[in-house]
Amino acid sequence: MKKKVLTTTIATGLMAAGVLTIQNPASAKADTVPTGDNATSTNEVATQKSDAKTIAQDNVNTAQTNLDKSKADTQNASDSLQQAKVNETTAQKAVDEQTGKVSDAQNNVDKAQADVTTAQNGLTAAQENAKNATETNIQAAKDNVATQEQNVATAQDQAKQANDGVAEQTNKVTDAQKAVNDAQKDTSVAQNNVNAAQKTVDDAKTAMDPANVQATVDAANKAEAQVNQDKQNVATAQNNLDNAKAADATRQTNIDNAQKAVNTAQANVDFSTKQAQEMKDQFNKYQGIKDAAQKEVDGLNDKLSNVNTITISDVEAYKKAFNDWYTGSKRGENWTEEDKNFLNDFMNSNTYKGNAADKNITVDINHLTADQIKELSLFSADLLNQVRNQLGLPKVIVTEGSLKLAKDVTDNYVSDNWDKFDHDVDGISRAAAENGLLSGGNFYEDAIFSSDFSEASTMDDLKSILYTGIVTMIGGSGDEMLHAAGLLGVDFGDDISTGKEQYFSAGTSMFPIKEDQMWITKMGHFFNISKDYIRDSAKFSTTEVPGTSTEDLVTQLNTAKAKLASATDALNKAKDADTQAQQILAKNKVELTTAQDNLTKAQNVPVQTEIAQKALTDVQNKLAADTKINEDAQAKKEAALGDEAAKQKVLDQANANLATAQKALTDAQAKQKAAENNLSAEKAKLASLQQVSNEKTQDVKAAQVALDDAKNKLAALENAPLLVKAAEDKLAAAQKALDPVENVLVSEKAKLSALKQDLADAQADVTTAQKNYDEKLAIQTKAQTDLDNAKKVLQAIYDREALEAQIAAQEKAREEAEKKAAEEKAQAEKNGYHVDGNKVVDENGNQVSNWTVKNGQIIDNKGKVVSGLTINKAGAVVNKTGQQINSKNVVDNLQANKRTQAPVVQSKVAGKTYVSTVVVPEKAKANALPQTGEKESKTTLVGEILVGLGSLVGLFGLGRKKEY
């Protein structure tokens, strides 16, 4: 009974968890096992389970077959899609290459046209010049040339004279400057001579004093010693000069090398600066291209965001609903609730987007202009083609003839004062006949009625009516699909997969309905003209009306996105190049700065030769001066050691020399002043002459320009016929060169147009292949889901069988365990002490006093756990060895337990710790067990132990105390 209930619970749990996603009567019966008297027999259940498993396995096999087939279909569709994309890429590449050729051809045409314009202007100028080429004008031009030649010659002479004066005066200034320099030197020498003569006089006077003889001798010795020192200093200075020259040579080499490095670094900076600017210009160029491409993409996205669309969420579901309506003896009798719900969802999910611009355009609904009919027709055709494209049907085409039919039919509605909720068949027939089409009935028009009380209409109102009309007619409004068949080009009763390309247009009209009350009705007309309905092609134009459809916008957007991607890639590459160029420039600038720093360091090394040369010159001059001083000092020494007459003679001669030196100094100073005054005057003359020279040089240039102009005018007049002929030839050549490049441009444009058509076809193939692939992939996904679900069902059955087997095994094990436990319990009850509830009883069923059972342990009457005894699974009371105790061995077991257990009592006496072991004696009464609990005591050794064992009747033995 328990097993059956448990199995039912498990099966119900599997169903509640949603594992069994595919059900059949057999599996349903197998999942619910009755628990009452009417339960299905075991054989029936087994049969049902076997059937369910067989069905589930069949489902798995079928689903696997379906998946394998759909995978093959998907792979074929994928291969077709990839090939279509390859074709599209090839076509796009061809278009791109041809676009480049067209661009080149256009550039050639522009250049050739510019050459023609230039040549035409040249011819006009040459013809005007020819008109002025009279004898009088030619002679006047010749005279003007002669005059200008004379003016040039005169200006050149004057300029030469001025330049000669400047050169002569420059020489005078140079001479005057030299005279000043010489005078300054002479003055300096004269001053030095005066100083030396004055010192000689002073020294001679000093020598006249006998008291200064020794000083004179000392001075002479000192002067001689100074000369000797000066000679050593000259030698040292000469050596220093040699070293300085070598150091300066090294310095100059370092400067030259540093300068070369600077020049190289500067050249690198100049080149990388130019290259960086080129990369920056290129980056800016591609940034502009990318921005333009982005703007184009954004614009197309904006357009597409405002485009009205009609979407079929499930194409197969729509086809089913369409075909279901036509099947059966009566149309619509096989239309399921699923079909109706799908179509209702289709109509509810497609709603018209208002257009702010169209809302501002007021229209006369009964008298639409040709442009308005064209706009409404292209709008409606785009919507209808969106649907046809999703269903894989041919597109409708708006033509000049279909537009005229739309206008004629709507005009007939107005002229017929139509006031019914029905088609004006007569008006439609008349319009059809007038346009060379099959007439005699309504073979063309579908109509939608929209009622309101406003006669004012906008273009947005009309588009809303037409949008609603297509959606409701495609969606089977009015429980019929005849309108859908007409709009989709499917003959009544044909499968929806067959459709015809049709000529299409749309129109509107407005009129009052006369029924219970007067109310205004707006009507939207849709016209589908089959090609085989054209009776007179001369009256019906099949010229397609150009327009941009949503598909065109999508194609343009894809192309724009591709351009944007290409532009972005180019921009990124340009950015990388720009970044790299900037990095190179920065690196080169650093290297230039380093090179310049090195040059500065080399240049900052002081020049030593000049200083060393000056030092040598100074010591040489000092040697010369000290030599003269020494000579004088030696003379003074001789004089000081000589007689007075000689000393006087020296003094007299010194005074004479001083006077001569002073006169020479006065003369030198006067000459220097005169030389300086002369230099200032000569410089002033030179500045004046240079100004005149500059003016004369400009006069020569102006005269030469005038002469060249005069010669050119004369040559133009004298060669006027030749110039006209040359200009004519140049213009003819330019025009001749223009024709072939224009032809090339026309040819390249034609090629581009053809390639664009090829690209459009390839893109259409990609769209078709993509759609087919998506459909096949969706089928494959569904097949995979079906297989997964079927496998889950089969696995659930296997899992259930395994679980049932496990439960049966567990149930059997449980019964065997219960049986064994019962046997063990009975044996335990027979052999000795055992547990009955919370009591301990002996083998005779008598309760053992002082013992109870709590939490699986034996407790004495003081609430202590009885040591050494446990309760086994059978409820038997056993000792440590697992032996069940009974009335005979209970005391022996307790005593044995006491002897083997660890010390149980500790006490402290005089600061020392004692440990004792006790043994409990057997009581006289078999069923009244002693208290066996143990407790630590802090009292003295023997007396306190006895107190702690309060319920014991005696002390069998006392352990030997041990000191720690």
Side-chain angles (χ1 to χ4, degrees):
M1 182 65 179
K2 292 181 179 178
K3 179 179 180 182
K4 292 181 178 179
V5 173
L6 181 59
T7 305
T8 302
T9 303
I10 294 170
T12 304
L14 287 172
M15 294 177 67
V19 175
L20 303 181
T21 57
I22 300 177
Q23 295 184 358
N24 55 61
S27 63
K29 292 178 181 177
D31 289 335
T32 56
V33 180
T35 60
D37 295 334
N38 295 325
T40 304
S41 68
T42 303
N43 291 336
E44 290 176 343
V45 171
T47 301
Q48 292 168 356
K49 290 180 178 179
S50 176
D51 291 343
K53 185 159 63 174
T54 300
I55 292 172
Q57 183 63 59
D58 291 342
N59 290 340
V60 169
N61 296 340
T62 301
Q64 183 66 57
T65 300
N66 293 340
L67 177 60
D68 294 341
K69 181 179 183 302
S70 65
K71 283 184 176 179
D73 293 342
T74 302
Q75 184 59 49
N76 291 335
S78 176
D79 294 342
S80 299
L81 175 59
Q82 294 307 315
Q83 184 58 50
K85 288 183 177 180
V86 169
N87 295 341
E88 179 188 21
T89 302
T90 302
Q92 183 65 61
K93 182 179 180 182
V95 167
D96 293 341
E97 292 176 352
Q98 189 60 31
T99 299
K101 292 180 180 180
V102 169
S103 178
D104 293 341
Q106 185 64 59
N107 291 337
N108 292 337
V109 169
D110 294 342
K111 182 179 182 301
Q113 185 61 58
D115 292 341
V116 169
T117 301
T118 301
Q120 183 62 59
N121 294 338
L123 176 58
T124 301
Q127 290 172 339
E128 185 65 26
N129 177 67
K131 293 180 182 178
N132 297 326
T134 63
E135 290 295 333
T136 301
N137 290 339
I138 291 175
Q139 186 58 50
K142 288 181 178 179
D143 294 341
N144 186 41
V145 168
T147 301
Q148 297 304 326
E149 287 176 340
Q150 183 59 45
N151 290 342
V152 169
T154 300
Q156 288 174 339
D157 289 342
Q158 293 175 351
K160 184 175 183 305
Q161 293 174 7
N163 290 335
D164 291 344
V166 168
E168 182 180 355
Q169 188 60 32
T170 299
N171 292 333
K172 290 180 179 180
V173 168
T174 301
D175 293 340
Q177 182 65 57
K178 184 175 182 303
V180 168
N181 295 340
D182 293 342
Q184 288 175 339
K185 291 180 181 179
D186 292 342
T187 300
S188 178
V189 171
Q191 182 65 57
N192 291 335
N193 291 337
V194 168
N195 295 340
Q198 182 64 55
K199 188 175 185 304
T200 301
V201 170
D202 294 340
D203 291 340
K205 288 180 179 180
T206 301
M208 296 291 292
D209 186 351
N212 294 325
V213 171
Q214 186 59 46
T216 302
V217 173
D218 292 341
N221 293 336
K222 182 179 180 181
E224 185 176 9
Q226 184 62 51
V227 168
N228 292 333
Q229 181 62 47
D230 288 345
K231 288 180 180 178
Q232 292 180 5
N233 291 343
V234 167
T236 300
Q238 181 63 56
N239 185 60
N240 291 341
L241 176 59
D242 294 339
N243 292 336
K245 287 180 178 180
D248 285 348
T250 300
R251 172 183 177 274
Q252 188 59 50
T253 299
N254 292 339
I255 290 175
D256 293 342
N257 292 336
Q259 185 64 58
K260 290 179 181 178
V262 168
N263 294 342
T264 300
Q266 185 64 58
N268 291 339
V269 168
D270 294 341
F271 175 78
S272 56
T273 298
K274 179 182 178 183
Q275 192 172 50
Q277 186 59 50
E278 290 175 353
M279 294 302 99
K280 178 63 69 177
D281 294 342
Q282 180 171 292
F283 173 73
N284 293 334
K285 169 188 173 184
Y286 284 113
Q287 183 67 60
I289 294 173
K290 189 259 184 183
D291 291 343
Q294 185 66 61
K295 184 177 180 181
E296 183 180 2
V297 169
D298 292 342
L300 288 168
N301 277 326
D302 288 342
K303 287 182 179 179
L304 282 169
S305 66
N306 293 320
V307 167
N308 282 279
T309 58
I310 299 177
T311 303
I312 300 176
S313 62
D314 188 336
V315 171
E316 295 303 320
Y318 181 83
K319 290 181 177 180
K320 177 181 179 301
F322 186 94
N323 291 327
D324 284 351
W325 191 83
Y326 282 106
T327 59
S329 59
K330 181 181 178 182
R331 287 173 179 169
E333 68 177 350
N334 288 338
W335 217 350
T336 65
E337 288 301 317
E338 181 183 8
D339 294 334
K340 294 178 182 179
N341 291 335
F342 173 78
L343 293 174
N344 187 57
D345 290 342
F346 164 77
M347 288 186 285
N348 290 334
S349 62
N350 288 284
T351 57
Y352 174 72
K353 290 181 185 177
N355 186 296
D358 287 340
K359 290 178 180 178
N360 295 325
I361 301 175
T362 303
V363 297
D364 182 351
I365 189 170
N366 285 336
H367 301 89
L368 296 178
T369 67
D371 286 340
Q372 289 169 344
I373 291 177
K374 174 183 174 182
E375 180 177 352
L376 294 174
S377 296
L378 290 172
F379 170 78
S380 301
D382 179 45
L383 294 173
L384 187 53
N385 281 333
Q386 290 179 34
V387 176
R388 284 183 168 231
N389 183 57
Q390 293 172 73
L391 295 173
L393 299 174
K395 296 192 297 185
V396 297
I397 302 172
V398 177
T399 66
E400 298 290 351
S402 66
L403 292 180
K404 185 175 182 301
L405 176 65
K407 185 176 187 310
D408 291 347
V409 170
T410 52
D411 286 348
N412 287 346
Y413 268 85
V414 175
S415 63
D416 292 346
N417 295 315
W418 196 253
D419 59 359
K420 300 179 181 63
F421 268 128
D422 200 357
H423 298 284
D424 182 4
V425 177
D426 183 60
I428 296 170
S429 295
R430 295 201 312 273
E434 292 171 1
N435 286 275
L437 301 174
L438 174 67
S439 60
N442 177 21
F443 306 119
Y444 311 99
E445 184 196 58
D446 290 283
I448 180 69
F449 300 85
S450 175
S451 301
D452 56 44
F453 296 95
S454 172
E455 296 187 13
S457 296
T458 66
M459 183 61 75
D460 186 65
D461 293 333
L462 303 189
K463 288 183 178 179
S464 176
I465 295 171
L466 296 174
Y467 180 92
T468 303
I470 291 178
V471 170
T472 54
M473 291 178 182
I474 295 297
S477 175
D479 293 335
E480 58 97 347
M481 298 294 283
L482 295 176
H483 287 290
L487 290 176
L488 298 177
V490 180
D491 290 338
F492 297 152
D494 282 355
D495 186 274
I496 192 173
S497 299
T498 62
K500 300 177 181 178
E501 180 183 90
Q502 295 173 315
Y503 302 126
F504 178 82
S505 58
T508 61
S509 60
M510 181 174 65
F511 48 87
I513 294 296
K514 299 174 182 177
E515 291 187 351
D516 294 339
Q517 58 182 346
M518 183 76 70
W519 52 315
I520 301 300
T521 295
K522 296 177 182 177
M523 184 174 181
H525 307 268
F526 305 96
F527 303 96
N528 283 279
I529 302 102
S530 297
K531 295 181 179 180
D532 53 359
Y533 281 9
I534 301 174
R535 294 294 180 263
D536 187 348
S537 59
K539 294 181 179 181
F540 185 84
S541 173
T542 58
T543 301
E544 184 173 356
V545 176
T548 302
S549 65
T550 301
E551 185 178 358
D552 294 335
L553 289 177
V554 171
T555 299
Q556 292 175 15
L557 176 60
N558 291 336
T559 301
K561 285 181 177 178
K563 288 170 57 180
L564 175 59
S566 177
T568 302
D569 180 61
L571 176 61
N572 291 336
K573 291 179 180 177
K575 183 178 180 180
D576 292 341
D578 177 45
T579 300
Q580 186 178 9
Q582 296 298 333
Q583 291 173 344
I584 292 173
L585 175 59
K587 173 178 173 292
N588 288 341
K589 284 183 176 180
V590 170
E591 291 178 353
L592 174 60
T593 300
T594 301
Q596 289 173 334
D597 290 343
N598 292 337
L599 176 61
T600 300
K601 290 177 182 178
Q603 291 172 335
N604 288 339
V605 173
V607 177
Q608 300 181 36
T609 299
E610 184 177 353
I611 296 174
Q613 182 63 60
K614 183 177 183 303
L616 176 61
T617 300
D618 289 344
V619 295
Q620 286 175 336
N621 291 337
K622 190 172 185 303
L623 174 61
D626 288 345
T627 299
K628 190 173 185 309
I629 291 172
N630 182 46
E631 290 174 351
D632 292 341
Q634 296 302 325
K636 290 175 184 178
K637 175 181 177 182
E638 292 177 1
L641 297 176
D643 56 17
E644 293 298 323
K647 294 178 181 178
Q648 185 62 50
K649 183 179 178 181
V650 170
L651 176 59
D652 293 339
Q653 183 61 46
N655 285 325
N657 292 339
L658 176 60
T660 301
Q662 288 175 334
K663 183 178 184 304
L665 174 60
T666 301
D667 293 342
Q669 289 174 336
K671 288 181 180 180
Q672 179 181 344
K673 181 63 176 177
E676 289 174 346
N677 293 337
N678 181 58
L679 176 61
S680 297
E682 296 298 344
K683 283 183 175 180
K685 290 181 182 178
L686 177 60
S688 177
L689 290 173
Q690 283 177 331
Q691 182 177 356
V692 172
S693 175
N694 292 336
E695 292 174 352
K696 296 303 181 183
T697 299
Q698 294 300 320
D699 290 345
V700 171
K701 291 180 179 179
Q704 186 62 52
V705 170
L707 175 59
D708 292 341
D709 182 60
K711 286 182 177 179
N712 290 335
K713 289 181 179 179
L714 175 59
L717 292 174
E718 288 179 337
N719 298 300
L722 295 177
L723 293 177
V724 170
K725 181 64 170 63
E728 289 174 344
D729 292 344
K730 188 174 183 179
L731 176 60
Q735 290 174 332
K736 183 178 180 181
L738 177 61
D739 292 339
V741 294
E742 283 182 334
N743 293 336
V744 169
L745 177 59
V746 171
S747 175
E748 297 297 346
K749 282 184 175 180
K751 293 178 183 178
L752 177 59
S753 178
L755 290 174
K756 283 184 176 179
Q757 183 58 51
D758 292 343
L759 175 60
D761 293 342
Q763 289 170 336
D765 291 343
V766 169
T767 300
T768 300
Q770 184 67 57
K771 179 173 178 288
N772 182 51
Y773 172 72
D774 293 342
E775 291 173 352
K776 299 303 183 185
L777 183 59
I779 293 172
Q780 178 183 331
T781 302
K782 184 176 183 301
Q784 183 66 59
T785 301
D786 292 344
L787 176 59
D788 293 342
N789 290 336
K791 285 182 177 180
K792 287 179 182 179
V793 171
L794 182 59
Q795 187 60 46
I797 293 174
Y798 281 120
D799 292 345
R800 182 183 59 201
E801 290 178 349
L803 184 57
E804 288 175 349
Q806 181 181 356
I807 291 171
Q810 291 175 347
E811 181 67 16
K812 181 178 180 182
R814 183 184 63 78
E815 291 174 351
E816 291 176 351
E818 289 177 350
K819 180 180 179 181
K820 182 178 180 181
E823 292 173 351
E824 290 177 347
K825 182 178 181 182
Q827 188 66 35
E829 291 174 352
K830 177 181 178 182
N831 291 342
Y833 284 11
H834 57 276
V835 174
D836 185 4
N838 62 347
K839 301 175 182 179
V840 177
V841 297
D842 62 15
E843 61 273 18
N844 298 317
N846 298 318
Q847 180 179 355
V848 178
S849 63
N850 298 329
W851 281 1
T852 59
V853 177
K854 185 177 181 180
N855 297 328
Q857 293 177 310
I858 302 173
I859 308 298
D860 63 17
N861 58 357
K862 291 186 178 182
K864 300 295 183 176
V865 176
V866 178
S867 298
L869 298 181
T870 57
I871 302 170
N872 66 15
K873 292 190 294 182
V877 179
V878 298
N879 60 17
K880 287 184 177 180
T881 63
Q883 178 186 7
Q884 185 176 6
I885 64 174
N886 52 41
S887 300
K888 295 179 180 181
N889 63 18
V890 61
V891 174
D892 294 337
N893 277 284
L894 289 176
Q895 290 175 345
N897 178 59
K898 285 299 179 179
R899 292 190 187 98
T900 58
Q901 68 181 20
V904 297
V905 178
Q906 291 183 359
S907 63
K908 290 185 179 180
V909 179
K912 296 184 178 180
T913 302
Y914 298 90
V915 180
S916 300
T917 304
V918 298
V919 178
V920 182
E922 181 182 5
K923 275 193 175 183
K925 186 176 180 180
N927 291 334
L929 292 179
Q931 170 65 35
T932 59
E934 298 171 358
K935 184 177 181 182
E936 288 184 358
S937 175
K938 298 181 180 179
T939 60
T940 58
L941 184 61
V942 177
E944 296 301 332
I945 291 174
L946 293 175
V947 172
L949 300 173
S951 63
L952 298 177
V953 296
L955 182 65
F956 278 82
L958 179 63
R960 190 175 184 180
K961 69 179 182 180
K962 183 178 180 181
E963 184 175 339
Y964 283 79

